[in-house]
Amino acid sequence: MKFTLIIDDEKKTMKFREKLTIKDVLKNFNIPLEAVVIKKNGEIVIEEEQVDDGDIIEVIKVIYGG
Amino acid sequence: MLCTKCGSRNVIIHRRYSGQYLCKECFIKAIQKKVLKDIKKYKLIKKSDKVLVALSGGKDSTTVLDILSILAERNIIELEVITIDEGIGDYRKKGIEYASKTCKELGIPQHIFSFKKHFKVTIDEIMASKPPRKACTYCGVLRRWIINKEAEKLGADKIATGHNLDDEVQAIVMNYLEGNIENLIRIGPTTYSQKFVTKIKPLREIPEEEVTAYAMAKGLNVHLEECPYRKTSFRKKIGTILTKLSEDHPTILYSTLRGHEKIRKALKKELEGESILRACIRCGQPAAQDLCRACTLLNEIGG
């Protein structure tokens, strides 16, 4: 199974075999939960959300300023 | 997971500090309710106040403007916007485009002022001259100088800024670590001085992550790029440590803020003497010494 990960305007195709959650994805990239907002297929989701085949996961970093 | 408030399956946020799960609608309502409640609780705004939002186009100030526009629509306050062009390459140009678009859409008057016009120098030019301080020092002090001066000219009663919970806690920790104990007294929901227009921080108790989520959930038109000078700042280092700590201690930002509120009262009693402000001999703005902070910095860089 595959999903697309968009992080810092960079698109990556990620392969996975077993059940995967957003939390696992963030852990893999060493990104703290409080530092990001995640969109799955254009909708905001929480860290417990499961990643499915073909999903587009967008990591929006919580950036200081503004 | 189901929304703690309405039972919807479309949960968009997990507040680990309280255990709540919220759907988009309940989350938007919860943020607006909390901000409006804090405005009342800390007496940030009076009826008929003319509030000037310091809008950069980023998530925080755009969210403040969005929530305060609820009060403006009900004719409780008058709302205008001030935007400062510090002269930071394309980063600031893009931010101003976002800010102007938002103001146009909401029908709110926007006043844009630049470092170049006021000080004849941009942040990029200051930094290119290899000055002794970091960009954030020049940027913050000079921006506040313009905002204070122009807010008074515009007849504003309050200046609303986008400071969120993370910003406040970073400021508390930074000032503590640097030994600037007097500055700790000044950190609070309002910054009042007889000589300046009062500044208010309506988002002070909203975590940065939730401000971002609110802007996304509402589809606000926000500039999400990071300032190129931010990467080197002390604030960023402190922010990274606090975010990391929050993973295992999700209430740490709120507990630090509440702890500071208690210490602040004691410090006020102990340390606060009314500092006498006079007119800066160079620009005429209120100053604690002969020169105000902005003119001191400009002098240092030969401006």
Side-chain angles (χ1 to χ4, degrees):
Chain A
M1 292 189 284
K2 284 178 195 169
F3 72 95
T4 306
L5 182 70
I6 306 173
I7 186 164
D8 291 334
D9 287 331
E10 206 182 300
K11 261 188 194 181
K12 291 174 191 164
T13 303
M14 309 290 291
K15 285 183 186 168
F16 66 107
R17 274 190 207 161
E18 45 197 55
K19 273 191 173 178
L20 187 76
T21 64
I22 298 290
K23 202 175 180 176
D24 299 326
V25 176
L26 296 179
K27 218 173 181 181
N28 197 27
F29 283 87
N30 206 14
I31 301 172
L33 286 172
E34 281 75 11
V36 288
V37 172
I38 304 294
K39 278 187 177 178
K40 177 177 138 176
N41 303 325
E43 297 293 332
I44 305 172
V45 291
I46 55 170
E47 66 271 21
E48 286 99 329
E49 185 77 16
Q50 201 171 308
V51 180
D52 296 313
D53 191 30
D55 278 346
I56 298 172
I57 308 294
E58 194 180 345
V59 178
I60 300 151
K61 287 194 180 161
V62 174
I63 289 161
Y64 160 75
Chain B
M1 281 304 158
L2 302 178
C3 172
T4 314
K5 285 192 189 273
C6 76
S8 161
R9 287 187 179 281
N10 300 322
V11 166
I12 68 159
I13 199 124
H14 174 203
R15 291 176 152 167
R16 295 196 311 120
Y17 58 85
S18 69
Q20 263 186 336
Y21 287 89
L22 295 174
C23 70
K24 184 169 155 179
E25 288 70 27
C26 291
F27 171 64
I28 290 173
K29 269 191 220 158
I31 293 287
Q32 291 175 344
K33 198 175 160 191
K34 165 76 178 152
V35 174
L36 295 175
K37 199 176 144 194
D38 284 348
I39 288 174
K40 239 184 186 173
K41 182 179 168 187
Y42 297 112
K43 299 183 176 72
L44 302 188
I45 291 172
K46 287 202 310 279
K47 209 175 168 228
S48 307
D49 266 353
K50 179 172 178 175
V51 181
L52 195 62
V53 175
L55 183 71
S56 66
K59 65 185 193 312
D60 303 302
S61 55
T62 308
T63 295
V64 168
L65 185 66
D66 181 77
I67 297 175
L68 291 185
S69 68
I70 298 171
L71 298 178
E73 276 166 21
R74 293 181 198 156
N75 291 320
I76 296 170
I77 58 167
E78 193 186 333
L79 203 55
E80 289 189 9
V81 157
I82 184 166
T83 299
I84 309 298
D85 179 359
E86 303 95 347
I88 306 176
D90 279 349
Y91 166 78
R92 180 46 72 225
K93 272 184 207 147
K94 276 192 226 159
I96 292 173
E97 278 171 25
Y98 277 91
S100 300
K101 194 172 171 225
T102 298
C103 291
K104 222 174 186 180
E105 279 171 10
L106 292 170
I108 294 171
Q110 182 190 28
H111 310 275
I112 303 177
F113 302 97
S114 71
F115 276 23
K116 191 72 181 172
K117 198 176 166 204
H118 272 283
F119 307 118
K120 297 185 176 56
V121 68
T122 64
I123 282 293
D124 283 342
E125 287 164 357
I126 292 175
M127 296 320 289
S129 71
K130 305 238 180 300
R133 299 170 197 271
K134 296 218 165 165
C136 299
T137 305
Y138 298 105
C139 198
V141 170
L142 299 180
R143 186 173 53 244
R144 278 193 292 278
W145 186 94
I146 299 181
I147 291 175
N148 285 334
K149 190 173 176 177
E150 298 299 341
E152 202 183 342
K153 278 200 211 163
L154 290 165
D157 298 295
K158 305 281 161 56
I159 300 162
T161 62
H163 292 89
N164 57 49
L165 178 64
D166 295 56
D167 294 331
E168 286 293 271
V169 175
Q170 286 159 15
I172 291 164
V173 175
M174 281 164 66
N175 279 300
Y176 184 76
L177 293 180
E178 288 180 321
N180 298 327
I181 303 305
E182 286 81 4
N183 283 357
L184 285 175
I185 302 171
R186 288 183 215 124
I187 300 172
T190 63
T191 313
Y192 172 75
S193 159
Q194 277 191 330
K195 305 268 181 182
F196 296 110
V197 177
T198 301
K199 293 198 188 75
I200 59 169
K201 300 171 187 166
L203 304 184
R204 186 176 187 253
E205 296 192 8
I206 310 290
E208 190 157 39
E209 180 196 6
E210 294 193 17
V211 178
T212 311
Y214 179 90
M216 297 285 121
K218 278 216 79 186
L220 300 180
N221 176 47
V222 294
H223 182 217
L224 281 173
E225 201 180 328
E226 185 174 39
C227 174
Y229 296 113
R230 147 92 169 147
K231 288 168 189 131
T232 57
S233 72
F234 181 50
R235 182 182 277 274
K236 179 159 183 171
K237 286 180 194 157
I238 297 295
T240 306
I241 294 167
L242 290 169
T243 305
K244 195 82 194 143
L245 278 175
S246 296
E247 274 193 296
D248 295 329
H249 305 275
T251 56
I252 206 161
L253 295 183
Y254 281 109
S255 59
T256 310
L257 191 82
R258 299 292 174 232
H260 168 260
E261 278 161 12
K262 289 177 200 159
I263 292 172
R264 189 180 176 222
K265 282 181 198 157
L267 284 175
K268 246 184 167 176
K269 269 191 201 160
E270 194 68 24
L271 294 173
E272 198 177 52
E274 187 59 42
S275 63
I276 300 158
L277 291 178
R278 54 192 123 162
C280 169
I281 54 169
R282 182 168 145 160
C283 72
Q285 283 289 291
Q289 289 161 356
D290 284 350
L291 285 178
C292 70
R293 183 101 173 103
C295 288
T296 306
L297 291 182
L298 288 168
N299 253 3
E300 267 179 25
I301 56 168

